[in-house]
Amino acid sequence: MAARQNHFSAFNLASIALGLAFLYLPIAILVIYSFNASRLVTVWGGWSLRWYTEFFNDEAMLSAAWMSLRVAFCSATAATLLGTLAALGLARGERFKGRTLFSGMLYAPLVMPEVITGLSLLLLFVAIDAGRGFWTVTIAHTTLTMCFVAVVVQSRLSTLDRSLEEAAMDLGCSPVQAFIAVTLPLMLPSIAAGWMLAFTLSLDDLVIASFTTGPGSATLPIRIYSEVRLGVKPEINAICTLIVAAVAVVIVAASLASKLSNEQGKSAAPL
């Protein structure tokens, strides 16, 4: 029996190792080759920071990176505000009319292909004769990421004890004061996690941005895609490594915020 358990343990370990290698080995190779001194992507020429220097001297790439950061920040902020309000409506308004329709429309971007979303937004902007640029991309990314924020915040609200607000109101607080003093601090980690998730999704988006962007407002993923079609340059490896690092930092921060939210919820639970 012990040998059988060890056999299954070794099999599970091998399966996990192969799965992780399949997912992350290409990224690891990309990161290593971003420090390649050779101009040829597939030929190793020694360690160098040459291509990082090339990136920081490339005005077009830096402009696209700055555009992506501005779009991600604005769309994540707007999506967090709207998604939080939507989550409050769904979590605290269980019986209002049209709740099912509102919930379905809110969560539709979660399952809808990005091509359909991007094309629909493009037709909308053309119909209202809106010039495509920074604001159209920001609106499109807000539409895409708002539902993710709503899911994160609503899941947090569903675990909160409503008796804490009721106790605050029994002590003389108005409903608004009870919400600000009791509920909002407990929601803040989930709101922060939702913002970070929305920021990451916006920063990495290519499909929807390609439909809604215009001349002079190309985001970094679009710029990278246009460069890759002409051949992969070592500079692209450096750019992608920086993006992977930035996204990893945001994901770790979001995970820590979510963990903090759960710990605060447990500590706030009645004995």
Side-chain angles (χ1 to χ4, degrees):
M1 180 66 68
R4 191 172 185 178
Q5 289 179 350
N6 292 333
H7 172 73
F8 281 112
S9 299
F11 175 78
N12 293 337
L13 182 61
S15 300
I16 294 173
L18 289 175
L20 293 176
F22 177 79
L23 291 173
Y24 295 108
L25 186 59
I27 298 177
I29 294 174
L30 180 145
V31 172
I32 292 172
Y33 272 87
S34 70
F35 298 98
N36 184 13
S38 174
R39 184 174 291 274
L40 299 176
V41 178
T42 57
V43 178
W44 181 256
W47 297 94
S48 174
L49 296 175
R50 171 186 177 184
W51 303 112
Y52 290 90
T53 304
E54 291 282 342
F55 166 65
F56 287 110
N57 290 329
D58 191 335
E59 293 295 334
M61 282 292 184
L62 290 176
S63 177
W66 176 237
M67 173 65 69
S68 290
L69 290 174
R70 287 191 297 146
V71 168
F73 178 82
C74 293
S75 63
T77 302
T80 300
L81 177 61
L82 296 175
T84 301
L85 293 175
L88 283 170
L90 291 174
R92 299 297 174 85
E94 295 87 352
R95 300 180 181 178
F96 72 88
K97 293 182 179 180
R99 183 181 187 277
T100 303
L101 177 62
F102 176 73
S103 178
M105 294 178 65
L106 177 64
Y107 296 137
L110 285 172
V111 295
M112 188 178 299
E114 290 189 10
V115 173
I116 303 300
T117 303
L119 181 58
S120 301
L121 290 168
L122 173 62
L123 294 176
L124 171 65
F125 295 141
V126 171
I128 63 177
D129 196 22
R132 293 189 297 278
F134 171 81
W135 289 112
T136 55
V137 179
T138 300
I139 293 171
H141 284 183
T142 301
T143 304
L144 171 67
T145 58
M146 180 177 65
C147 55
F148 292 91
V149 177
V151 169
V152 173
V153 177
Q154 186 181 1
S155 64
R156 176 61 181 143
L157 285 171
S158 63
T159 61
L160 292 181
D161 189 356
R162 293 288 295 273
S163 63
L164 297 175
E165 284 188 39
E166 295 173 358
M169 288 186 285
D170 289 341
L171 294 174
C173 290
S174 66
V176 175
Q177 291 174 333
F179 174 81
I180 295 175
V182 178
T183 306
L184 186 58
L186 296 175
M187 289 173 54
L188 282 179
S190 63
I191 294 174
W195 186 92
M196 294 175 187
L197 178 60
F199 183 88
T200 303
L201 292 172
S202 175
L203 190 65
D204 290 345
D205 178 71
L206 171 65
V207 178
I208 291 180
S210 64
F211 280 98
T212 56
T213 192
S217 59
T219 59
L220 186 58
I222 293 176
R223 182 71 184 180
I224 292 174
Y225 178 70
S226 64
E227 293 281 349
V228 168
R229 287 190 301 174
L230 302 176
V232 179
K233 299 188 300 183
E235 182 185 352
I236 301 299
N237 292 340
I239 298 169
C240 293
T241 300
L242 292 174
I243 294 176
V244 169
V247 171
V249 169
V250 172
I251 291 175
V252 170
S255 300
L256 292 176
S258 179
K259 182 179 179 180
L260 178 62
S261 175
N262 292 333
E263 291 178 352
Q264 288 183 347
K266 291 179 181 178
S267 64
L271 298 175

